[in-house]
Amino acid sequence: MRVLVIGSGAREHALVLALRKDPAVTALFAAPGNAGIAQHAEVRAVEASSGPSVVALAQELGADLVVIGPEVPLVLGVADAVRAAGIACFGPSAAAARIEGSKAFAKDVMAAAGVRTAHSEIVDTPADLDAALDRFGPTWVVKDDGLAAGKGVVVTADRSAARDHGAELLEQGHPVLLESFLDGPEVSLFCLVDGETVVPLLPAQDHKRVGDGDTGPNTGGMGAYTPLPWLPAATVDVIVDEVVKPVAAELVRRGSGFSGLLYAGLAIGAQGPAVVEFNCRFGDPETQAVLALLESPLGELLNATATGTLAQVAPPRWQDGAAVTVVIAAENYPGRPRIGDVISGTEDTVQDEAAVLHAGTELRDGSLVSAGGRVLSVVGAGADLAAARANAYARIARIKLTGSHFRTDIGLAAVESRISV
Ligand code: GLY
């Protein structure tokens, strides 16, 4: 099977590493990829958000399967274009990708499917903002209704900060979604979905705030770990049966059945799981940890999802133990990141018990330099969460990037049994 992965982040680097281990994958390409992905797959140029550009490349490469990593091409219909060209594609149609592309659409689907989620209101004029804020909070949850790479959300007990964020979004012409605050620890559950067939992967937890102790602004994700020692074993089945399957069935009922990876972001409160958000693709950085523990061939799972045969494939098998991803971010991220700095210490040695995955990197005059906000994801695996953390942080100690920062507490609250449901 000849596979083309679309995207350029550490998530796509993780997908490429896992696909490389699948003996059925005979040729592996990535576009546009990055400097790290180029060590494991043939990297080609592409306009990732253009259906014709992706289709032309897939045809030139003789791809049997195209795997689309990021949400923007999916929301813009690139998977539809690939399928229309007769090539199998892992990723939902534009119609189904609205589950991420429009929070208002996702709320409507959840209401129809009877899925628990936060109460919400859309505000689209500044005149309505103050009165709407009075009906919510504290704590206020203020979101961009469209795609915002995780940075469109402000969760705050400070009304003026909530107002400022809402006003800024409205000034940019973006409708604002106000939500009631969902209490409880968060879980990211990734499910392979092919119509009404739902196959969960390992549950993970993301760390969205930039600073240790969950301080500072939200980011695209500063680290993640899997599995979740504090999550009761039955909860994954509850989420599949009460959240993901009803939503998948509702999308089928609307004529826009989902094919690909449906990411349920949930808060586990006193009354059980409630949905914080849905995404239409693998999450970043949780994927880097989840795929580190996957033993089954990834190509077979993705291809079965893409070709409507997921129900016939054995459920995924997982390595024992735990995995932790720690993101190394450029100076000033999640604001405008400083880029162009030389990165050293990313080369693997045989003793390494952690992998260095690339995101915002590029080769300039033979040197590896930073090229984005989230620069690297370091993934440690181990017999338990403490060992996985130790491996990840030992590997980070060898990496040098001027001005960079990372959280030192990824997975720590779980190791110290400070999370309960
Ligand atoms: N981990 C957050 C996201 O992928 O959206």
Side-chain angles (χ1 to χ4, degrees):
M1 178 164 56
R2 297 171 69 79
V3 182
L4 168 61
V5 176
I6 300 296
S8 61
R11 166 185 52 206
E12 286 77 27
H13 197 164
L15 287 165
V16 161
L17 287 184
L19 286 165
R20 231 176 118 226
K21 288 196 267 171
D22 183 341
V25 176
T26 52
L28 189 52
F29 306 92
N34 61 36
I37 292 174
Q39 294 164 19
H40 309 291
E42 184 179 328
V43 165
R44 301 291 292 263
V46 78
E47 208 181 312
S49 295
S50 155
S53 177
V54 172
V55 167
L57 180 62
Q59 286 171 333
E60 181 197 331
L61 298 171
D64 303 299
L65 175 68
V66 176
V67 178
I68 300 181
E71 62 275 19
V72 172
L74 293 166
V75 169
L76 293 176
V78 173
D80 304 83
V82 173
R83 279 192 276 271
I87 301 170
C89 186
F90 182 84
S93 64
R98 290 178 71 208
I99 197 82
E100 175 167 1
S102 165
K103 293 181 180 66
F105 174 78
K107 291 285 181 191
D108 193 51
V109 170
M110 282 187 268
V115 167
R116 273 176 21 88
T117 184
H119 165 66
S120 68
E121 279 181 39
I122 292 274
V123 178
D124 40 28
T125 65
D128 294 337
L129 184 59
D130 279 306
L133 284 168
D134 289 343
R135 292 192 288 275
F136 288 81
T139 300
W140 286 274
V141 180
V142 184
K143 295 183 174 178
D144 187 331
D145 181 54
L147 296 176
K151 290 180 278 178
V153 184
V154 163
V155 180
T156 179
D158 176 347
R159 192 183 187 286
S160 62
R163 193 186 186 290
D164 288 351
H165 183 59
E168 192 182 321
L169 291 172
L170 290 171
E171 255 170 45
Q172 294 162 5
H174 298 200
V176 172
L177 187 89
L178 294 183
E179 280 189 348
S180 56
F181 178 65
L182 291 174
D183 214 357
E186 290 197 1
V187 171
S188 301
L189 186 68
F190 299 167
C191 295
L192 299 170
V193 174
D194 152 20
E196 296 200 35
T197 303
V198 174
V199 174
L201 307 186
L202 288 180
Q205 190 178 55
D206 189 6
H207 292 58
K208 294 200 174 81
R209 302 274 186 166
V210 72
D212 280 358
D214 293 326
T215 52
N218 265 356
T219 68
M222 291 299 291
Y225 64 98
T226 186
L228 307 178
W230 46 269
L231 190 70
T235 307
V236 167
D237 288 342
V238 171
I239 297 169
V240 168
D241 291 341
E242 296 182 6
V243 174
V244 185
K245 282 188 173 173
V247 162
E250 174 62 18
L251 289 170
V252 169
R253 196 189 65 75
R254 292 177 182 220
S256 45
F258 196 96
S259 168
L261 194 291
L262 187 56
Y263 163 149
L266 308 120
I268 312 296
Q271 282 145 39
V275 173
V276 176
E277 64 177 359
F278 277 108
N279 293 317
C280 66
R281 37 80 195 171
F282 279 98
D284 188 343
E286 298 98 311
T287 299
Q288 293 86 303
V290 169
L291 292 185
L293 298 183
L294 181 69
E295 281 186 339
S296 306
L298 181 65
E300 179 182 84
L301 287 166
L302 302 188
N303 192 49
T305 307
T307 55
T309 57
L310 182 60
Q312 294 155 36
V313 171
R317 296 182 313 280
W318 302 98
Q319 198 179 299
D320 288 340
V324 173
T325 311
V326 183
V327 169
I328 300 181
E331 182 174 334
N332 204 37
Y333 176 81
R336 180 194 285 265
R338 171 179 151 141
I339 60 172
D341 289 304
V342 171
I343 309 164
S344 63
T346 58
E347 308 75 22
D348 294 331
T349 67
V350 282
Q351 290 89 13
D352 283 334
E353 302 212 45
V356 179
L357 307 184
H358 291 225
T361 68
E362 67 183 23
L363 279 177
R364 201 179 287 171
D365 302 326
S367 297
L368 186 68
V369 300
S370 56
R374 291 191 292 174
V375 181
L376 299 166
S377 275
V378 177
V379 187
D384 58 22
L385 201 46
R389 269 176 49 82
N391 287 332
Y393 284 110
R395 184 69 189 83
I396 284 179
R398 296 215 316 273
I399 296 172
K400 302 279 176 274
L401 168 60
T402 304
S404 64
H405 57 99
F406 59 87
R407 280 184 62 161
T408 64
D409 63 348
I410 304 301
L412 185 59
V415 169
E416 294 178 345
S417 304
R418 285 189 275 119
I419 307 179
S420 57
V421 292

